[in-house]
Amino acid sequence: MNILKLDNGFDLAIENTGKKARLVVYNNGVENVCRKSTLKNVVAFMQSGENHLFKGRLQLHKANGSINIMVKGSKVGEISIPGFLDYLQQLN
């Protein structure tokens, strides 16, 4: 499992569990929030004109060529879209 470092002790990991993927945000090594989705859905979001993915505690927002990782309404990190797509390709 590859982990992406975010801001202030937050990390993002995507666990591939067969047909679904589990997006997990850790806070100082402790699981904070997670969301299940398909990798296909996440990639489609990156390539679409949509500005946000998911509702609830964990959300992904597009802004200025980057993906903002939002937890409970607060930004905990930012990843470039090409960097995030490379990360997703490593999971396949």
Side-chain angles (χ1 to χ4, degrees):
M1 170 177 61
N2 289 340
I3 294 178
L4 295 170
K5 298 287 182 191
L6 302 175
D7 300 335
N8 300 321
F10 287 94
D11 301 312
L12 173 70
I14 299 180
E15 302 168 359
N16 197 352
T17 59
K19 291 184 180 183
K20 294 267 185 175
R22 188 169 176 256
L23 288 82
V24 184
V25 175
Y26 294 95
N27 185 0
N28 295 317
V30 178
E31 186 175 314
N32 194 346
V33 295
C34 76
R35 179 72 183 215
K36 289 184 181 177
S37 181
T38 62
L39 290 176
K40 183 178 179 181
N41 188 30
V42 176
V43 171
F45 161 69
M46 303 283 180
Q47 298 169 343
S48 74
E50 295 290 321
N51 290 327
H52 64 277
L53 181 66
F54 307 136
K55 293 181 180 179
R57 298 186 317 156
L58 174 59
Q59 299 178 12
L60 304 179
H61 292 254
K62 266 195 251 179
N64 302 323
S66 295
I67 301 296
N68 293 326
I69 313 299
M70 308 292 288
V71 173
K72 299 178 186 174
S74 299
K75 180 179 166 185
V76 297
E78 184 175 323
I79 304 167
S80 71
I81 290 174
F84 198 63
L85 285 170
D86 288 342
Y87 176 76
L88 292 173
Q89 287 178 349
Q90 293 175 13
L91 297 173
N92 292 333

